[in-house]
Coordinates of all heavy atoms in Angstrom, one line a residue:
V27 N 0.8 -1.1 0.0 CA 0.0 0.0 -0.1 C 0.9 1.2 0.0 O 1.8 1.3 0.8 CB -0.9 0.1 1.3 CG1 -1.8 1.3 1.2 CG2 -1.8 -1.2 1.2
Y28 N 0.6 2.1 -0.9 CA 1.4 3.4 -1.0 C 0.4 4.5 -0.7 O -0.6 4.7 -1.3 CB 1.9 3.6 -2.4 CG 2.4 5.0 -2.7 CD1 3.1 5.8 -1.8 CD2 2.3 5.4 -4.1 CE1 3.6 7.0 -2.2 CE2 2.8 6.7 -4.3 CZ 3.4 7.5 -3.4 OH 4.0 8.7 -3.8
I29 N 0.7 5.2 0.5 CA -0.1 6.3 0.9 C 0.5 7.5 0.2 O 1.5 8.0 0.6 CB -0.2 6.4 2.4 CG1 -0.7 5.1 3.0 CG2 -1.0 7.6 2.8 CD1 -0.6 5.0 4.5
Q30 N -0.2 8.0 -0.9 CA 0.3 9.2 -1.6 C 0.0 10.4 -0.9 O -1.1 10.7 -0.6 CB -0.3 9.0 -3.0 CG 0.4 9.9 -4.0 CD -0.2 9.7 -5.4 OE1 -1.4 9.5 -5.5 NE2 0.7 9.5 -6.5
L31 N 1.1 11.3 -0.7 CA 1.0 12.6 -0.1 C 1.6 13.6 -1.0 O 2.6 13.3 -1.6 CB 1.5 12.6 1.2 CG 0.7 11.8 2.3 CD1 1.6 11.7 3.6 CD2 -0.6 12.4 2.6
D32 N 1.2 14.8 -1.1 CA 1.8 15.9 -1.8 C 3.1 16.3 -1.0 O 3.2 16.1 0.2 CB 0.9 17.1 -2.1 CG 0.4 17.7 -0.9 OD1 1.2 18.4 -0.3 OD2 -0.8 17.7 -0.7
L33 N 3.9 17.0 -1.8 CA 5.2 17.5 -1.2 C 5.1 18.3 0.1 O 5.8 18.1 1.1 CB 5.9 18.2 -2.2 CG 7.4 18.8 -1.9 CD1 8.2 17.7 -1.5 CD2 8.0 19.6 -3.0
D34 N 4.2 19.3 0.0 CA 4.0 20.2 1.2 C 3.5 19.5 2.5 O 3.9 19.7 3.5 CB 3.1 21.3 0.8 CG 3.7 22.3 -0.2 OD1 4.9 22.5 -0.1 OD2 3.0 23.0 -0.9
T35 N 2.6 18.5 2.3 CA 2.1 17.7 3.3 C 3.3 16.9 3.9 O 3.4 16.8 5.2 CB 1.1 16.8 3.0 OG1 -0.1 17.6 2.3 CG2 0.4 15.9 4.1
L36 N 4.1 16.3 3.1 CA 5.2 15.5 3.6 C 6.2 16.3 4.4 O 6.7 16.0 5.4 CB 5.9 14.8 2.3 CG 5.2 13.6 1.8 CD1 5.9 13.2 0.5 CD2 5.2 12.4 2.8
V37 N 6.4 17.5 3.8 CA 7.4 18.5 4.5 C 6.9 18.8 5.9 O 7.5 18.6 6.9 CB 7.7 19.7 3.7 CG1 8.4 20.8 4.4 CG2 8.4 19.3 2.4
S38 N 5.5 19.2 5.9 CA 5.1 19.6 7.2 C 5.1 18.4 8.2 O 5.3 18.8 9.4 CB 3.6 20.2 7.1 OG 2.6 19.2 6.7
R39 N 4.8 17.2 7.8 CA 4.8 16.1 8.7 C 6.2 15.7 9.2 O 6.5 15.3 10.3 CB 4.2 14.9 8.0 CG 2.7 15.1 7.9 CD 2.0 13.8 7.3 NE 0.7 14.1 7.2 CZ -0.2 13.1 6.9 NH1 0.2 11.8 6.8 NH2 -1.5 13.4 6.8
L40 N 7.2 15.9 8.2 CA 8.5 15.4 8.6 C 9.4 16.5 9.3 O 10.3 16.2 10.0 CB 9.3 15.1 7.3 CG 8.9 13.7 6.7 CD1 9.5 13.5 5.3 CD2 9.2 12.6 7.5
V41 N 8.9 17.8 9.3 CA 9.7 18.9 9.9 C 9.6 18.6 11.5 O 10.6 18.7 12.1 CB 9.0 20.2 9.7 CG1 8.9 21.1 10.7 CG2 9.7 20.9 8.5
S42 N 8.5 18.1 11.9 CA 8.3 17.8 13.4 C 9.1 16.5 13.8 O 9.1 16.2 15.0 CB 6.9 17.8 13.7 OG 6.2 16.8 13.1
A43 N 9.5 15.8 12.8 CA 10.1 14.4 13.2 C 11.6 14.4 12.8 O 12.2 13.3 12.8 CB 9.4 13.3 12.4
K44 N 12.1 15.5 12.5 CA 13.5 15.6 12.1 C 14.5 15.0 13.1 O 15.4 14.2 12.6 CB 13.9 17.1 11.8 CG 13.4 17.5 10.5 CD 13.8 19.0 10.0 CE 14.8 19.7 10.9 NZ 15.2 21.0 10.3
E45 N 14.3 15.1 14.3 CA 15.3 14.6 15.3 C 15.4 13.1 15.3 O 16.4 12.7 15.6 CB 14.9 15.2 16.7 CG 15.1 16.7 16.9 CD 16.5 17.1 16.6 OE1 17.5 16.4 17.1 OE2 16.7 18.1 15.9
Q46 N 14.3 12.4 14.9 CA 14.4 11.0 15.0 C 14.8 10.5 13.6 O 14.9 9.3 13.4 CB 13.0 10.4 15.2 CG 12.4 10.7 16.5 CD 11.7 12.1 16.6 OE1 11.5 12.7 15.7 NE2 11.2 12.4 17.8
R47 N 15.1 11.3 12.5 CA 15.4 10.7 11.2 C 16.8 11.4 10.9 O 16.9 12.5 10.4 CB 14.4 11.2 10.3 CG 13.1 10.6 10.5 CD 11.9 11.2 9.6 NE 10.7 10.5 9.9 CZ 10.3 9.5 9.1 NH1 11.0 8.9 8.2 NH2 9.1 8.9 9.5
P48 N 17.9 10.6 10.9 CA 19.2 11.0 10.7 C 19.4 11.6 9.3 O 20.3 12.7 9.3 CB 20.1 9.8 10.8 CG 19.3 8.9 11.6 CD 17.8 9.1 11.3
L49 N 18.8 11.3 8.2 CA 19.0 11.8 7.0 C 18.5 13.2 6.8 O 19.0 14.0 5.9 CB 18.4 11.0 5.9 CG 18.9 9.6 5.5 CD1 18.1 8.8 4.5 CD2 20.4 9.8 5.0
I50 N 17.6 13.6 7.6 CA 17.0 15.0 7.6 C 17.2 15.8 8.8 O 16.8 16.9 8.8 CB 15.5 14.9 7.3 CG1 14.7 14.2 8.4 CG2 15.3 14.2 5.9 CD1 13.2 14.3 8.1
K51 N 17.9 15.3 9.8 CA 18.1 16.0 11.1 C 18.6 17.3 11.0 O 18.1 18.2 11.7 CB 19.0 15.1 12.0 CG 19.1 15.6 13.3 CD 19.9 14.7 14.2 CE 19.9 15.1 15.7 NZ 20.6 14.1 16.5
N52 N 19.6 17.6 10.2 CA 20.2 18.9 10.1 C 19.8 19.8 9.0 O 20.5 20.8 8.6 CB 21.8 18.8 10.2 CG 22.2 18.1 11.5 OD1 21.7 18.4 12.5 ND2 23.1 17.1 11.4
K53 N 18.8 19.4 8.3 CA 18.3 20.2 7.1 C 17.3 21.3 7.6 O 16.5 21.2 8.4 CB 17.7 19.4 6.1 CG 18.5 18.2 5.6 CD 17.9 17.5 4.4 CE 18.8 16.4 3.8 NZ 20.2 16.8 3.6
T54 N 17.5 22.5 6.8 CA 16.5 23.5 7.0 C 15.2 23.1 6.4 O 15.2 22.1 5.6 CB 17.0 24.9 6.3 OG1 17.2 24.6 4.9 CG2 18.3 25.2 6.9
T55 N 14.2 23.9 6.5 CA 12.9 23.5 5.9 C 13.0 23.5 4.4 O 12.6 22.6 3.7 CB 11.8 24.5 6.4 OG1 11.6 24.4 7.8 CG2 10.4 24.1 5.7
A56 N 13.7 24.5 3.9 CA 14.0 24.6 2.4 C 14.8 23.3 1.9 O 14.5 22.8 0.9 CB 14.7 25.9 2.0
E57 N 15.9 23.0 2.6 CA 16.7 21.8 2.2 C 15.8 20.6 2.4 O 16.0 19.7 1.5 CB 17.9 21.8 3.2 CG 18.9 22.9 2.9 CD 20.0 22.9 4.0 OE1 19.7 22.4 5.1 OE2 21.1 23.4 3.7
L58 N 15.0 20.5 3.4 CA 14.2 19.4 3.6 C 13.2 19.2 2.4 O 13.0 18.1 1.8 CB 13.4 19.4 4.8 CG 12.4 18.3 5.2 CD1 13.1 17.0 5.3 CD2 11.6 18.6 6.5
K59 N 12.6 20.3 2.0 CA 11.7 20.2 0.9 C 12.4 19.8 -0.4 O 11.8 18.9 -1.1 CB 11.0 21.6 0.7 CG 9.9 21.6 -0.3 CD 9.2 22.9 -0.4 CE 7.9 22.8 -1.3 NZ 7.1 24.0 -1.1
E60 N 13.5 20.2 -0.6 CA 14.3 19.8 -1.9 C 14.7 18.4 -1.8 O 14.6 17.6 -2.7 CB 15.5 20.8 -2.1 CG 16.3 20.5 -3.3 CD 15.5 20.8 -4.6 OE1 14.5 21.6 -4.5 OE2 15.8 20.2 -5.6
F61 N 15.2 17.9 -0.6 CA 15.5 16.6 -0.4 C 14.3 15.6 -0.6 O 14.5 14.5 -1.2 CB 16.0 16.4 1.1 CG 16.4 14.9 1.5 CD1 17.5 14.4 1.1 CD2 15.5 14.2 2.2 CE1 17.9 13.1 1.4 CE2 15.8 12.8 2.6 CZ 17.0 12.3 2.1
I62 N 13.2 15.8 -0.1 CA 11.9 15.1 -0.2 C 11.6 15.0 -1.7 O 11.2 14.0 -2.3 CB 10.8 15.6 0.7 CG1 11.1 15.4 2.1 CG2 9.5 14.8 0.3 CD1 10.2 16.1 3.1
K63 N 11.6 16.2 -2.3 CA 11.3 16.3 -3.8 C 12.2 15.4 -4.6 O 11.8 14.6 -5.5 CB 11.4 17.7 -4.3 CG 11.1 18.0 -5.7 CD 11.3 19.4 -6.0 CE 11.3 19.8 -7.5 NZ 11.6 21.2 -7.7
N64 N 13.5 15.4 -4.3 CA 14.4 14.6 -5.0 C 14.1 13.1 -4.7 O 14.3 12.2 -5.7 CB 15.9 14.9 -4.6 CG 16.3 16.3 -5.3 OD1 15.8 16.6 -6.3 ND2 17.2 16.9 -4.6
Q65 N 13.9 12.8 -3.4 CA 13.7 11.4 -3.1 C 12.4 10.8 -3.7 O 12.3 9.7 -4.2 CB 13.6 11.1 -1.6 CG 15.0 11.4 -0.9 CD 16.1 10.5 -1.3 OE1 15.9 9.2 -1.4 NE2 17.1 11.1 -1.7
L66 N 11.4 11.6 -3.7 CA 10.1 11.2 -4.3 C 10.3 10.9 -5.9 O 9.9 10.0 -6.4 CB 9.0 12.3 -4.2 CG 8.3 12.3 -2.9 CD1 7.3 13.5 -2.8 CD2 7.6 11.0 -2.7
S67 N 11.1 11.8 -6.5 CA 11.4 11.7 -7.9 C 12.1 10.4 -8.2 O 11.7 9.6 -9.2 CB 12.3 12.9 -8.4 OG 12.7 12.7 -9.7
K68 N 13.0 10.0 -7.4 CA 13.8 8.7 -7.5 C 12.9 7.5 -7.2 O 13.1 6.4 -7.8 CB 15.0 8.7 -6.6 CG 16.0 9.7 -6.9 CD 17.2 9.6 -5.9 CE 18.1 10.7 -6.0 NZ 19.1 10.7 -4.8
R69 N 12.1 7.6 -6.2 CA 11.3 6.5 -5.7 C 9.9 6.3 -6.3 O 9.3 5.2 -6.2 CB 11.2 6.6 -4.2 CG 12.4 6.5 -3.5 CD 12.3 6.8 -2.0 NE 13.5 6.9 -1.2 CZ 13.6 7.2 0.1 NH1 12.5 7.3 0.7 NH2 14.8 7.1 0.6
E70 N 9.4 7.4 -7.0 CA 8.1 7.3 -7.5 C 7.8 6.0 -8.4 O 6.8 5.5 -8.3 CB 7.6 8.6 -8.2 CG 6.2 8.6 -8.6 CD 5.2 8.6 -7.5 OE1 5.5 9.2 -6.4 OE2 4.1 8.1 -7.6
V71 N 8.8 5.7 -9.2 CA 8.6 4.6 -10.2 C 8.4 3.3 -9.3 O 7.6 2.4 -9.8 CB 9.9 4.4 -11.0 CG1 11.2 4.1 -10.2 CG2 9.6 3.3 -12.1
Y72 N 9.0 3.1 -8.2 CA 8.7 1.9 -7.4 C 7.4 2.0 -6.6 O 6.7 1.0 -6.5 CB 9.9 1.7 -6.3 CG 11.2 1.6 -7.1 CD1 12.2 2.7 -7.0 CD2 11.6 0.5 -7.9 CE1 13.3 2.6 -7.7 CE2 12.8 0.4 -8.5 CZ 13.6 1.5 -8.5 OH 14.8 1.4 -9.1
Y73 N 7.1 3.2 -6.1 CA 5.9 3.5 -5.3 C 4.7 3.2 -6.1 O 3.7 2.7 -5.7 CB 5.9 4.9 -4.7 CG 6.9 5.2 -3.7 CD1 7.1 6.6 -3.3 CD2 7.5 4.3 -2.9 CE1 8.1 6.9 -2.3 CE2 8.5 4.5 -1.9 CZ 8.7 6.0 -1.7 OH 9.6 6.2 -0.7
S74 N 4.8 3.6 -7.3 CA 3.7 3.5 -8.3 C 3.3 2.0 -8.7 O 2.3 1.8 -9.1 CB 3.9 4.3 -9.5 OG 4.9 3.8 -10.3
K75 N 4.3 1.2 -8.3 CA 3.9 -0.3 -8.6 C 3.2 -0.9 -7.5 O 2.9 -2.2 -7.5 CB 5.2 -1.0 -8.8 CG 6.0 -0.6 -10.1 CD 7.3 -1.3 -10.2 CE 8.0 -0.8 -11.5 NZ 9.2 -1.5 -11.7
A76 N 2.8 -0.2 -6.4 CA 2.1 -0.8 -5.3 C 0.8 -1.4 -5.8 O 0.1 -0.7 -6.7 CB 1.9 0.3 -4.2
Q77 N 0.4 -2.4 -5.2 CA -1.0 -2.9 -5.6 C -2.1 -2.0 -5.1 O -3.2 -1.9 -5.9 CB -1.3 -4.2 -4.8 CG -0.5 -5.4 -5.4 CD -0.7 -6.6 -4.6 OE1 -1.3 -6.7 -3.6 NE2 -0.6 -7.8 -5.3
H78 N -1.9 -1.2 -4.1 CA -2.9 -0.2 -3.7 C -2.2 1.1 -3.4 O -1.3 1.2 -2.8 CB -3.6 -0.7 -2.4 CG -4.1 -2.1 -2.6 ND1 -5.3 -2.4 -3.2 CD2 -3.7 -3.4 -2.1 CE1 -5.6 -3.7 -3.2 NE2 -4.6 -4.2 -2.6
I79 N -2.8 2.1 -4.1 CA -2.4 3.5 -3.9 C -3.6 4.3 -3.4 O -4.7 4.4 -3.9 CB -1.9 4.1 -5.3 CG1 -0.7 3.3 -5.9 CG2 -1.6 5.6 -5.0 CD1 -0.3 3.7 -7.2
V80 N -3.3 4.9 -2.2 CA -4.3 5.6 -1.4 C -3.9 7.1 -1.4 O -2.7 7.4 -1.0 CB -4.5 5.1 -0.1 CG1 -5.5 5.9 0.8 CG2 -4.9 3.6 -0.1
K81 N -4.7 8.0 -1.8 CA -4.4 9.5 -1.7 C -4.7 9.8 -0.2 O -5.9 9.8 0.2 CB -5.2 10.3 -2.7 CG -4.8 10.1 -4.1 CD -5.4 11.0 -5.0 CE -5.1 10.5 -6.4 NZ -4.0 11.2 -7.0
G82 N -3.7 10.1 0.6 CA -3.9 10.2 2.0 C -4.0 11.6 2.6 O -4.4 11.7 3.7
K83 N -3.9 12.7 1.7 CA -3.9 14.0 2.4 C -5.2 14.4 3.1 O -5.2 14.9 4.2 CB -3.7 15.0 1.3 CG -3.6 16.4 1.9 CD -3.3 17.5 0.8 CE -3.2 18.8 1.5 NZ -2.7 19.8 0.7
S84 N -6.4 14.1 2.6 CA -7.6 14.5 3.1 C -8.1 13.5 4.1 O -9.3 13.8 4.7 CB -8.6 14.8 2.0 OG -9.0 13.5 1.3
L85 N -7.5 12.4 4.5 CA -8.0 11.5 5.3 C -7.4 11.6 6.7 O -6.2 11.8 6.8 CB -7.8 10.1 4.7 CG -8.3 9.9 3.4 CD1 -7.8 8.4 2.9 CD2 -9.8 10.0 3.4
N86 N -8.2 11.4 7.8 CA -7.6 11.3 9.1 C -7.2 9.7 9.3 O -7.5 8.9 8.4 CB -8.6 11.7 10.2 CG -9.8 10.9 10.3 OD1 -9.8 9.6 10.2 ND2 -11.0 11.5 10.5
V87 N -6.6 9.5 10.4 CA -6.0 8.1 10.5 C -7.2 7.0 10.5 O -7.0 6.0 9.7 CB -5.2 8.0 11.9 CG1 -4.9 6.6 12.2 CG2 -4.1 9.0 11.9
A88 N -8.2 7.2 11.0 CA -9.3 6.2 11.1 C -9.9 6.1 9.7 O -10.1 4.9 9.2 CB -10.4 6.7 12.0
E89 N -10.0 7.1 8.9 CA -10.5 7.0 7.5 C -9.5 6.3 6.6 O -9.8 5.5 5.8 CB -10.8 8.4 6.9 CG -12.0 9.2 7.6 CD -12.0 10.6 7.1 OE1 -11.0 11.2 6.9 OE2 -13.1 11.1 7.1
L90 N -8.2 6.5 6.9 CA -7.2 5.9 6.2 C -7.1 4.4 6.4 O -7.1 3.6 5.4 CB -5.9 6.6 6.5 CG -4.6 6.2 5.6 CD1 -4.9 6.5 4.2 CD2 -3.5 7.0 6.1
V91 N -7.2 4.0 7.7 CA -7.2 2.7 8.1 C -8.4 1.9 7.4 O -8.3 0.9 6.8 CB -7.2 2.5 9.6 CG1 -7.5 1.0 9.9 CG2 -5.8 3.0 10.2
S92 N -9.6 2.5 7.5 CA -10.7 1.9 6.9 C -10.5 1.8 5.4 O -10.9 0.8 4.8 CB -11.9 2.9 7.2 OG -13.1 2.4 6.6
L93 N -10.1 2.8 4.8 CA -9.9 2.7 3.3 C -8.9 1.6 2.9 O -9.2 0.9 2.0 CB -9.5 4.0 2.7 CG -9.3 4.2 1.2 CD1 -10.7 3.9 0.5 CD2 -8.8 5.5 0.9
I94 N -7.8 1.5 3.5 CA -6.8 0.5 3.3 C -7.4 -0.9 3.5 O -7.2 -1.8 2.8 CB -5.5 0.7 4.2 CG1 -4.9 2.0 3.7 CG2 -4.7 -0.5 4.0 CD1 -3.8 2.4 4.5
K95 N -8.1 -1.1 4.6 CA -8.8 -2.4 4.9 C -9.7 -2.8 3.8 O -9.7 -3.9 3.4 CB -9.5 -2.3 6.3 CG -8.6 -2.4 7.4 CD -9.5 -2.4 8.7 CE -8.7 -2.5 9.9 NZ -9.5 -2.5 11.1
K96 N -10.4 -1.8 3.2 CA -11.3 -2.1 2.2 C -10.6 -2.5 0.9 O -11.0 -3.5 0.2 CB -12.2 -0.9 1.9 CG -13.3 -0.7 2.9 CD -14.1 0.5 2.5 CE -15.1 0.9 3.6 NZ -15.8 2.2 3.4
R97 N -9.6 -1.9 0.6 CA -8.7 -2.1 -0.6 C -8.0 -3.4 -0.5 O -7.9 -4.0 -1.6 CB -7.7 -1.0 -0.8 CG -8.3 0.4 -1.1 CD -8.1 0.7 -2.5 NE -8.7 2.0 -2.8 CZ -8.0 3.0 -3.2 NH1 -6.8 2.9 -3.6 NH2 -8.7 4.2 -3.5
I98 N -7.5 -3.8 0.6 CA -6.8 -5.1 0.6 C -7.6 -6.3 1.0 O -7.0 -7.4 0.9 CB -5.6 -5.0 1.6 CG1 -6.0 -4.8 3.0 CG2 -4.6 -3.8 1.2 CD1 -4.9 -4.8 4.1
S99 N -8.8 -6.2 1.3 CA -9.7 -7.4 1.5 C -10.4 -7.8 0.3 O -10.4 -7.3 -0.7 CB -10.6 -7.2 2.7 OG -11.2 -5.9 2.7

């Protein structure tokens, strides 16, 4: 399952988790955004091969879990 999020959403979520993530720990917000953009570009070809792709931005956790359960069952 690939939970697809836009760049700005990923940045906003990862900014608060920088201390736990060595690859982004010392990056400014601008550097983080560029890093994520580059990583997505490299990885999208693999992510897009997922059996299930869920657009996760507008969903809360409960909605996301419910949607994933429906898709994989």
Side-chain angles (χ1 to χ4, degrees):
V27 175
Y28 169 33
I29 302 170
Q30 192 175 43
L31 295 169
D32 63 66
L33 180 61
D34 290 330
T35 301
L36 287 168
V37 171
S38 70
R39 290 183 181 192
L40 288 170
V41 146
S42 61
K44 284 182 7 175
E45 291 303 313
Q46 295 88 358
R47 297 173 177 267
L49 287 176
I50 62 173
K51 185 175 184 173
N52 297 315
K53 296 191 181 311
T54 65
T55 301
E57 292 169 334
L58 177 61
K59 188 170 188 172
E60 188 63 26
F61 177 80
I62 295 169
K63 181 179 168 185
N64 289 335
Q65 293 303 307
L66 281 176
S67 175
K68 292 177 191 175
R69 297 175 182 179
E70 187 65 35
V71 66
Y72 304 107
Y73 293 161
S74 66
K75 292 179 181 181
Q77 286 183 334
H78 306 283
I79 299 173
V80 177
K81 295 189 187 267
K83 182 175 181 172
S84 63
L85 304 173
N86 65 38
V87 174
E89 292 169 326
L90 190 55
V91 169
S92 176
L93 184 58
I94 291 171
K95 282 182 178 180
K96 286 178 188 173
R97 294 251 179 121
I98 63 174
S99 43

